[in-house]
Amino acid sequence: MDTPEESKTMENSKEEKSVGQNLVDSVVSTETAVKNLIDAKKAIQGMAFDKFIETFQSKLLEGILMSDFENVVNRIVKRFSIPDKEAEEIMDGMWVRKGLMVYQEFVFKKGGRENHYVYLKVATLKPKHSKEIDMALMYYSLEFELSPKRIEEKINHYLTFLHIIKTGGTYKIHYEPRTLTGKDQDCFTRFLRYKAVRGFLDDNTMAGNKVSDRILNN
């Protein structure tokens, strides 16, 4: 039977996940979640793009003083153009033990050149008996343009003299803008989560969990 001191030590060890680990766990904590993200990556890689510009950032800020937390949040809000509602959710980290905020923005116009997708997730952690706050952040954005669909149409030629005789044909080629189905948009959402957590794990290897190695290996 464990002594009270041993029980307390075991209880603390279960709670001692870092803010970076909490952030990674919120994206991938099961084999199914990992598979869904990897499948989405493969689906996006199978699409044709004329434009594909990626931006990624990760941050791990530990030991932020309570008195400095609002200023730190304001700087992050400005840097990533975070809306007021989501900014307030980050600020909640001052009053809760664990905080989590996710922000996504998707703009797509058929045939458009200004399509973009943004994924941002922020975790906060206020260790017990501490006046400091830890924060972890993953950000990924994609500017893209889908390659148009090539349409090949055969035009048959006929000669009419007593009987209709087919003499041959020519091909007319034109291009149509591609669109995204609901399934495609879901793939983009999961793909951005994959890229964001992959980048964060590359920068913070100690934040991984028992299933996240599959992300790094794919």
PDB file of all heavy atoms in Angstrom, residues 128-142:
ATOM      1  N   LYS A 128       0.241  24.974 -10.552  1.00  0.00           N
ATOM      2  CA  LYS A 128      -0.269  25.172  -9.208  1.00  0.00           C
ATOM      3  C   LYS A 128       0.736  25.939  -8.355  1.00  0.00           C
ATOM      4  O   LYS A 128       1.950  25.762  -8.480  1.00  0.00           O
ATOM      5  CB  LYS A 128      -0.579  23.823  -8.553  1.00  0.00           C
ATOM      6  CG  LYS A 128      -1.812  23.137  -9.116  1.00  0.00           C
ATOM      7  CD  LYS A 128      -2.106  21.857  -8.363  1.00  0.00           C
ATOM      8  CE  LYS A 128      -3.389  21.198  -8.876  1.00  0.00           C
ATOM      9  NZ  LYS A 128      -3.690  19.949  -8.151  1.00  0.00           N
ATOM     10  N   HIS A 129       0.220  26.789  -7.500  1.00  0.00           N
ATOM     11  CA  HIS A 129       1.031  27.565  -6.560  1.00  0.00           C
ATOM     12  C   HIS A 129       2.050  28.438  -7.288  1.00  0.00           C
ATOM     13  O   HIS A 129       3.160  28.658  -6.800  1.00  0.00           O
ATOM     14  CB  HIS A 129       1.751  26.639  -5.558  1.00  0.00           C
ATOM     15  CG  HIS A 129       0.871  25.586  -4.979  1.00  0.00           C
ATOM     16  ND1 HIS A 129      -0.248  25.880  -4.218  1.00  0.00           N
ATOM     17  CD2 HIS A 129       0.920  24.220  -5.069  1.00  0.00           C
ATOM     18  CE1 HIS A 129      -0.844  24.750  -3.858  1.00  0.00           C
ATOM     19  NE2 HIS A 129      -0.159  23.735  -4.359  1.00  0.00           N
ATOM     20  N   SER A 130       1.684  28.915  -8.464  1.00  0.00           N
ATOM     21  CA  SER A 130       2.591  29.765  -9.234  1.00  0.00           C
ATOM     22  C   SER A 130       1.879  31.045  -9.662  1.00  0.00           C
ATOM     23  O   SER A 130       0.664  31.054  -9.874  1.00  0.00           O
ATOM     24  CB  SER A 130       3.091  29.025 -10.473  1.00  0.00           C
ATOM     25  OG  SER A 130       3.877  29.877 -11.284  1.00  0.00           O
ATOM     26  N   LYS A 131       2.641  32.104  -9.772  1.00  0.00           N
ATOM     27  CA  LYS A 131       2.109  33.369 -10.275  1.00  0.00           C
ATOM     28  C   LYS A 131       2.551  33.608 -11.713  1.00  0.00           C
ATOM     29  O   LYS A 131       2.550  34.734 -12.196  1.00  0.00           O
ATOM     30  CB  LYS A 131       2.575  34.520  -9.381  1.00  0.00           C
ATOM     31  CG  LYS A 131       2.016  34.461  -7.954  1.00  0.00           C
ATOM     32  CD  LYS A 131       2.450  35.660  -7.141  1.00  0.00           C
ATOM     33  CE  LYS A 131       1.867  35.591  -5.727  1.00  0.00           C
ATOM     34  NZ  LYS A 131       2.287  36.770  -4.910  1.00  0.00           N
ATOM     35  N   GLU A 132       2.928  32.537 -12.374  1.00  0.00           N
ATOM     36  CA  GLU A 132       3.375  32.607 -13.765  1.00  0.00           C
ATOM     37  C   GLU A 132       2.463  31.754 -14.645  1.00  0.00           C
ATOM     38  O   GLU A 132       1.783  30.841 -14.168  1.00  0.00           O
ATOM     39  CB  GLU A 132       4.826  32.124 -13.875  1.00  0.00           C
ATOM     40  CG  GLU A 132       5.816  32.979 -13.087  1.00  0.00           C
ATOM     41  CD  GLU A 132       7.220  32.427 -13.167  1.00  0.00           C
ATOM     42  OE1 GLU A 132       7.383  31.242 -13.537  1.00  0.00           O
ATOM     43  OE2 GLU A 132       8.166  33.174 -12.853  1.00  0.00           O
ATOM     44  N   ILE A 133       2.482  32.069 -15.933  1.00  0.00           N
ATOM     45  CA  ILE A 133       1.658  31.351 -16.911  1.00  0.00           C
ATOM     46  C   ILE A 133       2.559  30.873 -18.048  1.00  0.00           C
ATOM     47  O   ILE A 133       3.430  31.620 -18.515  1.00  0.00           O
ATOM     48  CB  ILE A 133       0.540  32.259 -17.474  1.00  0.00           C
ATOM     49  CG1 ILE A 133      -0.366  32.756 -16.344  1.00  0.00           C
ATOM     50  CG2 ILE A 133      -0.288  31.516 -18.520  1.00  0.00           C
ATOM     51  CD1 ILE A 133      -1.383  33.779 -16.795  1.00  0.00           C
ATOM     52  N   ASP A 134       2.341  29.651 -18.489  1.00  0.00           N
ATOM     53  CA  ASP A 134       3.040  29.110 -19.656  1.00  0.00           C
ATOM     54  C   ASP A 134       2.093  29.143 -20.851  1.00  0.00           C
ATOM     55  O   ASP A 134       0.887  28.952 -20.708  1.00  0.00           O
ATOM     56  CB  ASP A 134       3.490  27.669 -19.408  1.00  0.00           C
ATOM     57  CG  ASP A 134       4.470  27.557 -18.253  1.00  0.00           C
ATOM     58  OD1 ASP A 134       5.132  28.567 -17.946  1.00  0.00           O
ATOM     59  OD2 ASP A 134       4.567  26.459 -17.667  1.00  0.00           O
ATOM     60  N   MET A 135       2.668  29.380 -22.033  1.00  0.00           N
ATOM     61  CA  MET A 135       1.847  29.445 -23.253  1.00  0.00           C
ATOM     62  C   MET A 135       2.553  28.716 -24.393  1.00  0.00           C
ATOM     63  O   MET A 135       3.772  28.808 -24.554  1.00  0.00           O
ATOM     64  CB  MET A 135       1.600  30.904 -23.652  1.00  0.00           C
ATOM     65  CG  MET A 135       0.794  31.057 -24.941  1.00  0.00           C
ATOM     66  SD  MET A 135       0.709  32.781 -25.520  1.00  0.00           S
ATOM     67  CE  MET A 135      -0.256  33.520 -24.205  1.00  0.00           C
ATOM     68  N   ALA A 136       1.773  27.973 -25.184  1.00  0.00           N
ATOM     69  CA  ALA A 136       2.286  27.308 -26.378  1.00  0.00           C
ATOM     70  C   ALA A 136       1.363  27.646 -27.545  1.00  0.00           C
ATOM     71  O   ALA A 136       0.148  27.733 -27.375  1.00  0.00           O
ATOM     72  CB  ALA A 136       2.359  25.805 -26.177  1.00  0.00           C
ATOM     73  N   LEU A 137       1.953  27.826 -28.713  1.00  0.00           N
ATOM     74  CA  LEU A 137       1.185  28.286 -29.874  1.00  0.00           C
ATOM     75  C   LEU A 137       1.665  27.576 -31.125  1.00  0.00           C
ATOM     76  O   LEU A 137       2.865  27.400 -31.336  1.00  0.00           O
ATOM     77  CB  LEU A 137       1.358  29.795 -30.009  1.00  0.00           C
ATOM     78  CG  LEU A 137       0.782  30.542 -31.210  1.00  0.00           C
ATOM     79  CD1 LEU A 137       0.486  31.993 -30.809  1.00  0.00           C
ATOM     80  CD2 LEU A 137       1.746  30.556 -32.397  1.00  0.00           C
ATOM     81  N   MET A 138       0.713  27.164 -31.968  1.00  0.00           N
ATOM     82  CA  MET A 138       1.044  26.646 -33.297  1.00  0.00           C
ATOM     83  C   MET A 138       0.208  27.397 -34.336  1.00  0.00           C
ATOM     84  O   MET A 138      -0.984  27.637 -34.135  1.00  0.00           O
ATOM     85  CB  MET A 138       0.802  25.134 -33.392  1.00  0.00           C
ATOM     86  CG  MET A 138      -0.608  24.679 -33.117  1.00  0.00           C
ATOM     87  SD  MET A 138      -0.865  22.883 -33.393  1.00  0.00           S
ATOM     88  CE  MET A 138       0.038  22.185 -32.026  1.00  0.00           C
ATOM     89  N   TYR A 139       0.872  27.808 -35.413  1.00  0.00           N
ATOM     90  CA  TYR A 139       0.204  28.609 -36.445  1.00  0.00           C
ATOM     91  C   TYR A 139       0.637  28.099 -37.809  1.00  0.00           C
ATOM     92  O   TYR A 139       1.821  27.874 -38.068  1.00  0.00           O
ATOM     93  CB  TYR A 139       0.595  30.073 -36.295  1.00  0.00           C
ATOM     94  CG  TYR A 139       0.157  30.969 -37.443  1.00  0.00           C
ATOM     95  CD1 TYR A 139      -1.099  31.564 -37.440  1.00  0.00           C
ATOM     96  CD2 TYR A 139       1.003  31.231 -38.514  1.00  0.00           C
ATOM     97  CE1 TYR A 139      -1.498  32.388 -38.488  1.00  0.00           C
ATOM     98  CE2 TYR A 139       0.611  32.044 -39.559  1.00  0.00           C
ATOM     99  CZ  TYR A 139      -0.638  32.625 -39.540  1.00  0.00           C
ATOM    100  OH  TYR A 139      -1.029  33.439 -40.573  1.00  0.00           O
ATOM    101  N   TYR A 140      -0.360  27.911 -38.684  1.00  0.00           N
ATOM    102  CA  TYR A 140      -0.053  27.519 -40.070  1.00  0.00           C
ATOM    103  C   TYR A 140      -1.043  28.208 -40.990  1.00  0.00           C
ATOM    104  O   TYR A 140      -2.256  28.228 -40.727  1.00  0.00           O
ATOM    105  CB  TYR A 140      -0.162  26.006 -40.241  1.00  0.00           C
ATOM    106  CG  TYR A 140       0.116  25.540 -41.650  1.00  0.00           C
ATOM    107  CD1 TYR A 140       1.419  25.352 -42.108  1.00  0.00           C
ATOM    108  CD2 TYR A 140      -0.925  25.298 -42.540  1.00  0.00           C
ATOM    109  CE1 TYR A 140       1.672  24.935 -43.403  1.00  0.00           C
ATOM    110  CE2 TYR A 140      -0.684  24.883 -43.844  1.00  0.00           C
ATOM    111  CZ  TYR A 140       0.622  24.700 -44.265  1.00  0.00           C
ATOM    112  OH  TYR A 140       0.868  24.300 -45.558  1.00  0.00           O
ATOM    113  N   SER A 141      -0.534  28.798 -42.050  1.00  0.00           N
ATOM    114  CA  SER A 141      -1.413  29.412 -43.049  1.00  0.00           C
ATOM    115  C   SER A 141      -0.986  28.970 -44.443  1.00  0.00           C
ATOM    116  O   SER A 141       0.185  28.664 -44.684  1.00  0.00           O
ATOM    117  CB  SER A 141      -1.377  30.944 -42.952  1.00  0.00           C
ATOM    118  OG  SER A 141      -0.131  31.448 -43.391  1.00  0.00           O
ATOM    119  N   LEU A 142      -1.957  28.937 -45.332  1.00  0.00           N
ATOM    120  CA  LEU A 142      -1.718  28.487 -46.706  1.00  0.00           C
ATOM    121  C   LEU A 142      -2.429  29.415 -47.676  1.00  0.00           C
ATOM    122  O   LEU A 142      -3.634  29.643 -47.556  1.00  0.00           O
ATOM    123  CB  LEU A 142      -2.228  27.058 -46.877  1.00  0.00           C
ATOM    124  CG  LEU A 142      -2.192  26.479 -48.300  1.00  0.00           C
ATOM    125  CD1 LEU A 142      -0.751  26.327 -48.767  1.00  0.00           C
ATOM    126  CD2 LEU A 142      -2.911  25.132 -48.349  1.00  0.00           C
TER     127      LEU A 142
END
